[in-house]
């Protein structure tokens, strides 16, 4: 059972057992004596203690862990043995004579270099990390900021998330130098820039010697090449994730700001949104929920890309992560509920039917069906949404109207003419749909023998756009003569049968008679040409193994051209 001691090392508290404490204390005292007559010794010792505290923190799994002799020896192994700095060796009699081989090589990390900064030191830090000249990095950020806006956001995020190189160990990590007593001393004495260059040269010399000596095997070299390309691919993926995440966030932010401005300014588009919105949620609230539901996942995509590029990127913290997760869940659940409510508002169909008898039409009269376009306030049309248009009457009152009006002509079941008007609409339930259909305003009128059908329907704005439509059936007795005005055929349905197989667009302007079979018989259409008569006036071209036979027929004569193995024959004859 060992006694534990609480120590304060570089403003960090640690629990350490008594044996390890004595070893650590002797080590620090020995190092202190080795730099006793050195200028800047206090700063050197402070930086060494800070680095030792960092190494202890990396090895600790929890706050209550006790540092043992094993951890102290591992730290001394990294920092360097005291005999390397001409200190007393009698206090390290328990150390083995052979010098221990260091297991931890230099690791380059991304920090903000505030010593050569212009704004936040982001570009200067990236120069050390990637090895590119800082001027080009700054130019890239400026171009991205001017043309895409991404450079500005990326710089702000890096400024927030990348830590500043404050301590000596952080500055050495920034340049990829091993953080030990030797480099700390050089940093203090000679300045960071000179030390960085020397360490880089030493690293290259070591690598060159290693390759020249042939110590690295073929498989080690092959593995290094593969790892290099994997790292390059990983960096590419990181850059791609950053671009995707940042561009999506920028687009969402622009959309959110635009929606908020439109909502506050009373832009007409807000009324269009209200026409189809059954949830009652304002447009600004839906925009915010959509921003969180879509933007938070893409923020983590951006964060993941930055983690891939920057190994020591500062974490946003568990509190922020769980807060964003909770906010995302709230946004998604709320949007799902609103979407369900919106979808159910179109689930049910309601119809209101009005059937009336038309004034008696005599056998000698011809019923004329025309479309009434009067009543449109076309100069006051605002928007078209789901076949419904928002318009304003002469008094400035808003209402909805639609041109979704169709009529068909069918035989009457008695000796009188009738009109059957079906007003249809959708709703969240049957009664809701039925109520909306009954609130559709539609009119017609008889003027002598002319049936005027309104080419539009209207309804109050509060009934919203719910696929309102009107379907009309004009029922006439057998033998009734009628004409559809040429301007009205576009409002005809596809259920009207005729003996000419005309489409609805060709029925206008002709005189029709209702047959007992329910089919309209054209009274002024040209007689149908029989197949036999048509064949006499048709041209023909025949090609086979015997040759080519071309027969051109006119009204009174024909011309026949025949080409075969016997030659060319041209023959003219009367029909």
């Amino acid at each position: 059972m060992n006694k534990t001691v609480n120590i304060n090392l570089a403003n960090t508290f640690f629990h350490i057992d008594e044996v390890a404490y004595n070893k650590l204390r002797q080590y620090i005292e020995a190092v202190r004596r080795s730099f006793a007559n050195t200028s800047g010794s206090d700063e050197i010792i402070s930086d060494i203690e800070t680095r030792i505290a960092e190494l202890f923190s990396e090895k600790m799994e929890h706050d209550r862990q006790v540092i043992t002799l094993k951890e102290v020896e591992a730290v001394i192994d990294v920092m360097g043995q005291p005999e390397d700095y001409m200190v007393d060796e009698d206090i390290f009699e328990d150390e083995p004579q052979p010098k221990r081989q260091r297991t931890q090589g230099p690791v380059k990390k991304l920090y903000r270099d505030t010593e050569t900064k212009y704004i936040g030191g982001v570009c200067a830090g990236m120069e050390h990390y990637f090895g590119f000249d800082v001027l080009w990095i700054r130019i890239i950020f400026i171009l991205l900021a001017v043309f895409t806006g991404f450079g500005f956001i990326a710089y702000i995020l890096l400024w927030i998330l990348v830590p500043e190189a404050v301590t000596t160990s952080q500055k050495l990590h920034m340049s990829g130098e091993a953080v030990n007593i030797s480099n700390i001393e050089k940093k203090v004495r000679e300045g960071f820039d000179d030390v960085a260059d020397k360490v880089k040269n030493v690293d290259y010399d070591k690598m060159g010697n290693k390759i020249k000596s042939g110590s690295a095997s073929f498989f080690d070299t092959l593995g290094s090449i593969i790892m290099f390309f994997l790292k390059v691919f990983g960096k590419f993926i990181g850059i791609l994730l950053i671009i995707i995440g940042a561009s999506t966030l920028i687009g969402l932010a622009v959309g959110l700001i635009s929606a908020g401005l439109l909502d506050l300014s009373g832009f007409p588009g807000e009324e269009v949104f209200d026409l189809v919105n059954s949830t009652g949620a304002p447009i600004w609230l839906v925009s915010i929920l959509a921003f969180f539901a879509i933007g938070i996942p893409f923020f983590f995509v951006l964060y993941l890309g930055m983690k891939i590029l920057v190994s020591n990127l500062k974490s946003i913290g568990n509190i922020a992560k769980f807060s964003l997760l909770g906010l995302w869940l709230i946004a998604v659940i709320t949007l799902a509920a609103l979407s369900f409510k919106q979808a159910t508002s179109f689930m049910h169909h309601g119809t209101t039917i009005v059937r009336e008898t038309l004034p008696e039409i005599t056998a000698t009269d011809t019923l004329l069906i025309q479309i009434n376009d009067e009543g449109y306030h076309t100069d006051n049309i605002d928007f078209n949404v789901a076949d419904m248009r928002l318009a304003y009457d002469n008094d400035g009152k808003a209402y909805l109207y639609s041109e979704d009006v169709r009529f068909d002509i069918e035989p009457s079941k008695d000796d009188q003419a009738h009109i059957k008007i079906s007003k249809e609409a959708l709703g969240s339930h049957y009664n809701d749909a039925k109520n909306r259909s009954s609130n559709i305003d539609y009119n017609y009128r008889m003027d002598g023998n002319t049936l005027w059908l309104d080419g539009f329907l209207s309804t109050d704005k509060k009934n919203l756009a719910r696929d309102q439509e009107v379907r009309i059936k004009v029922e006439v007795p057998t033998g009734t003569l009628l004409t559809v005005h040429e301007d009205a055929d576009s409002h005809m349905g596809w259920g009207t049968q005729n003996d000419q197989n005309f489409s609805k667009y060709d029925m206008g302007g002709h005189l029709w008679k209702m047959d007992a079979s329910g089919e309209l018989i054209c009274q002024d259409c040209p007689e149908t040409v029989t197949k036999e008569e048509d064949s006499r006036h048709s041209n023909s071209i025949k090609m086979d193994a015997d040759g080519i036979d071309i027969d051109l027929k006119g009204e009174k004569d024909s011309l026949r051209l025949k080409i075969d193995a016997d030659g060319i024959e041209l023959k003219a004859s009367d029909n």
Side-chain angles (χ1 to χ4, degrees), residues 17 323 418 471 532:
D17 67 38
S323 298
H418 306 276
R471 296 293 180 261
E532 182 179 353

Side-chain angles (χ1 to χ4, degrees), residues 150 238-250 298 301-302:
F150 168 71
I239 294 173
L240 184 63
L241 293 178
I242 290 175
I243 294 175
I244 293 174
S247 58
T248 304
L249 290 176
I250 293 173
F298 278 95
V301 169
L302 172 63

Side-chain angles (χ1 to χ4, degrees), residues 357-362 365 415-417 446 448-449:
T357 301
L358 297 176
E360 184 176 356
I361 301 173
T362 63
D365 295 330
D415 295 333
Q416 289 184 317
M446 285 291 300
N449 290 334

Side-chain angles (χ1 to χ4, degrees), residues 404-452:
D404 195 357
V405 176
R406 301 288 182 268
F407 72 90
D408 281 305
I409 304 172
E410 297 183 353
S412 175
K413 296 181 180 179
D414 52 30
D415 295 333
Q416 289 184 317
H418 306 276
I419 184 171
K420 180 180 178 182
I421 302 174
S422 298
K423 299 184 285 187
E424 304 174 7
L426 301 178
S428 57
H429 49 82
Y430 175 75
N431 290 334
D432 179 44
K434 181 76 173 178
N435 182 61
R436 294 181 193 277
S437 66
S438 64
N439 288 327
I440 295 175
D441 294 326
Y442 182 79
N443 298 298
Y444 75 95
R445 59 186 173 89
M446 285 291 300
D447 185 6
N449 290 334
T450 302
L451 173 62
W452 290 91

Side-chain angles (χ1 to χ4, degrees), residues 239-488:
I239 294 173
L240 184 63
L241 293 178
I242 290 175
I243 294 175
I244 293 174
S247 58
T248 304
L249 290 176
I250 293 173
L252 289 173
V254 172
L256 176 62
I257 294 174
S258 301
L261 292 176
L262 294 180
D263 194 11
L264 293 175
S265 62
F267 188 74
E270 179 186 1
E271 292 186 342
V272 177
F273 175 79
D274 292 337
L275 294 181
V276 296
N277 180 24
S278 302
T279 63
I283 187 173
W284 62 265
L285 178 59
V286 176
S287 300
I288 292 176
L289 292 174
F291 177 81
F292 288 142
I294 302 174
I296 290 177
F298 278 95
F299 168 78
F300 281 104
V301 169
L302 172 63
Y303 182 71
L304 176 60
M306 297 180 66
K307 289 286 287 184
I308 293 175
L309 289 180
V310 184
S311 58
N312 63 321
L313 186 68
K314 187 167 59 178
S315 175
I316 62 175
N318 290 332
I319 295 178
K321 291 178 182 178
F322 286 111
S323 298
L324 290 175
L325 177 61
L327 189 61
W328 178 78
L329 289 174
I330 292 174
V332 169
I333 293 173
T334 305
L335 283 178
L338 294 177
S339 301
F340 178 78
K341 185 176 180 180
Q342 179 70 20
T344 56
S345 64
F346 294 85
M347 290 185 63
H348 295 271
H349 183 273
T351 304
T352 299
I353 298 177
V354 178
R355 189 172 186 270
E356 297 178 352
T357 301
L358 297 176
E360 184 176 356
I361 301 173
T362 63
T364 58
D365 295 330
T366 299
L367 176 64
L368 175 62
I369 301 177
Q370 283 195 258
I371 294 296
N372 173 35
D373 290 331
E374 297 181 2
Y376 283 147
H377 298 281
T378 53
D379 295 336
N380 299 325
I381 295 174
D382 208 342
F383 283 99
N384 186 340
V385 179
D387 291 332
M388 300 295 293
R389 298 185 179 184
L390 178 65
Y392 300 88
D393 59 19
N394 294 329
D395 297 328
K397 182 181 178 181
Y399 70 97
L400 294 173
Y401 85 92
S402 172
E403 300 176 24
D404 195 357
V405 176
R406 301 288 182 268
F407 72 90
D408 281 305
I409 304 172
E410 297 183 353
S412 175
K413 296 181 180 179
D414 52 30
D415 295 333
Q416 289 184 317
H418 306 276
I419 184 171
K420 180 180 178 182
I421 302 174
S422 298
K423 299 184 285 187
E424 304 174 7
L426 301 178
S428 57
H429 49 82
Y430 175 75
N431 290 334
D432 179 44
K434 181 76 173 178
N435 182 61
R436 294 181 193 277
S437 66
S438 64
N439 288 327
I440 295 175
D441 294 326
Y442 182 79
N443 298 298
Y444 75 95
R445 59 186 173 89
M446 285 291 300
D447 185 6
N449 290 334
T450 302
L451 173 62
W452 290 91
L453 300 174
D454 281 355
F456 64 95
L457 63 92
S458 62
T459 187
D460 194 279
K461 176 186 172 183
K462 67 181 181 182
N463 292 314
L464 306 179
R466 290 297 178 270
D467 198 22
Q468 286 90 340
E469 61 184 27
V470 170
R471 296 293 180 261
I472 304 167
K473 290 183 179 180
V474 180
E475 303 172 356
V476 296
T478 301
T480 301
L481 296 174
L482 59 92
T483 298
V484 178
H485 195 274
E486 292 180 352
D487 294 337

